[in-house]
Amino acid sequence: MPEVRFSAKNAAYGDIFDVPKPASMDIPDWYVSQEKYTHGERGVNERGGFNQTVKSCSPVYDAITAGYLFYLPCDINVTLTPEQERVDANMTSRSFEHLEFHPSSQISKWSFDKDYYEAGFVGKFLTGWVPRLPEGYSLMVMHPMWREELPYTILPGIIDYDSYASSINFFFLLKKSFEGILRCGSPIGQVIPFKREDWSHSIDSMSDHEYFVGFEKDRRFIENAYKNFMIFTGYPTMKNNIDAMQLVMRANLWDRYGGWYDKSEQSDGNMY
């Protein structure tokens, strides 16, 4: 299994900065409290599908828990200057500077939303951690996914940390007119290691049958079929209802075996 190492620049830095940790260990509070179904109970929505919320969406969970998170090591009190070309950041930890500022002229051609972000500067969160990756691997750097409540947005990038040997920093834009405290322990960046590979691509079309059999049938008949299947309870017990000991297969297996192999009237529907 490939390993990413997070090395402190020296022992003092390791004492100052919070240790990066797997994102799966820090799931946002809003996601934890989100109910799995609208109105709190499993049912059917207006389109005839399951009334699931984002809590049931595997791609969202996989994004939230992918890679590792870095954290702000101290409180930072943010006050805008009258010109709003930078912020005065009074930090509770003075043993190391945790912020730098770059002029917005460095991104003068980028059309970001100046009504949503402060336009006079680009901030940079500094850390004392140096990621170290195996040969051929890089690190994708981004805003902590599904953490839009944070008063800043991390700007994305990719760094080849199999050959680059410097501490990781996180550039950010501050949300418009924000003044207050950036709290110690706030996530300031999500990083995901990946293997660099050359890809080719092709473009084609699927037939309606191919799409339905391969994708749509799972989605319609099996809840959260992207990665899972479900077992039906067989309740209430009645003719033609699926028995508690029977399993609804994924669509590709269903097609392979031709559905229920015993199609007699009193069949209990055992699969091969």
Side-chain angles (χ1 to χ4, degrees):
M1 177 185 298
E3 180 187 59
V4 55
R5 295 172 60 190
F6 298 109
S7 301
K9 292 172 70 173
N10 57 47
Y13 283 74
D15 293 336
I16 295 170
F17 291 95
D18 289 348
V19 175
K21 63 183 180 182
S24 59
M25 298 175 60
D26 188 8
I27 297 176
D29 291 339
W30 75 263
Y31 185 88
V32 173
S33 62
Q34 176 70 55
E35 295 178 330
K36 186 176 180 180
Y37 302 103
T38 58
H39 312 300
E41 296 182 358
R42 183 175 180 272
V44 178
N45 61 29
E46 62 277 5
R47 297 181 310 240
F50 295 107
N51 63 327
Q52 297 166 298
T53 69
V54 69
K55 187 72 168 281
S56 297
C57 182
S58 295
V60 171
Y61 178 81
D62 290 347
I64 290 174
T65 58
Y68 302 85
L69 291 171
F70 286 75
Y71 298 92
L72 197 64
C74 65
D75 286 351
I76 298 179
N77 186 24
V78 174
T79 304
L80 293 171
T81 63
E83 300 80 13
Q84 296 189 341
E85 293 179 351
R86 58 158 290 141
V87 299
D88 288 331
N90 299 314
M91 308 174 200
T92 57
S93 169
R94 278 300 185 186
S95 54
F96 185 80
E97 289 297 320
H98 303 298
L99 281 181
E100 284 185 359
F101 300 96
H102 292 238
S104 60
S105 58
Q106 293 184 350
I107 54 171
S108 61
K109 300 300 182 182
W110 183 32
S111 300
F112 64 94
D113 189 349
K114 296 178 177 60
D115 292 326
Y116 189 72
Y117 295 108
E118 292 296 338
F121 61 88
V122 178
K124 182 167 70 173
F125 291 119
L126 307 177
T127 84
W129 295 105
V130 181
R132 303 164 75 182
L133 293 172
E135 184 177 356
Y137 284 78
S138 296
L139 205 62
M140 182 176 294
V141 179
M142 65 189 69
H143 185 81
M145 286 193 271
W146 290 84
R147 303 280 186 124
E148 306 310 313
E149 76 280 3
L150 296 170
Y152 46 81
T153 294
I154 303 302
L155 304 181
I158 292 176
I159 307 173
D160 296 341
Y161 265 116
D162 57 345
S163 58
Y164 185 65
S166 184
S167 58
I168 187 169
N169 302 310
F170 298 93
F171 287 90
F172 67 93
L173 295 177
L174 189 68
K175 290 183 179 178
K176 191 77 171 181
S177 301
F178 173 81
E179 291 188 289
I181 297 177
L182 303 180
R183 293 295 180 184
C184 177
S186 298
I188 56 172
Q190 186 168 359
V191 300
I192 301 176
F194 68 95
K195 186 177 181 179
R196 297 191 300 274
E197 295 180 296
D198 292 328
W199 285 74
S200 63
H201 78 281
S202 61
I203 298 174
D204 59 15
S205 299
M206 300 174 68
S207 68
D208 291 342
H209 174 76
E210 184 182 9
Y211 179 79
F212 180 81
V213 170
F215 298 93
E216 189 70 8
K217 184 159 57 174
D218 274 347
R219 187 183 69 80
R220 289 188 181 184
F221 300 120
I222 303 179
E223 180 179 358
N224 200 20
Y226 168 56
K227 289 192 174 182
N228 304 290
F229 56 83
M230 66 178 295
I231 298 175
F232 291 87
T233 64
Y235 180 84
T237 54
M238 57 184 293
K239 183 179 178 180
N240 296 327
N241 197 38
I242 299 175
D243 187 84
M245 296 302 293
Q246 295 167 353
L247 179 71
V248 172
M249 288 186 170
R250 290 185 63 84
N252 60 334
L253 295 178
W254 178 278
D255 293 332
R256 183 186 305 171
Y257 294 116
W260 303 125
Y261 82 98
D262 182 353
K263 298 179 174 62
S264 62
E265 184 177 355
Q266 299 301 321
S267 168
D268 63 359
N270 289 324
M271 300 298 292
Y272 280 106

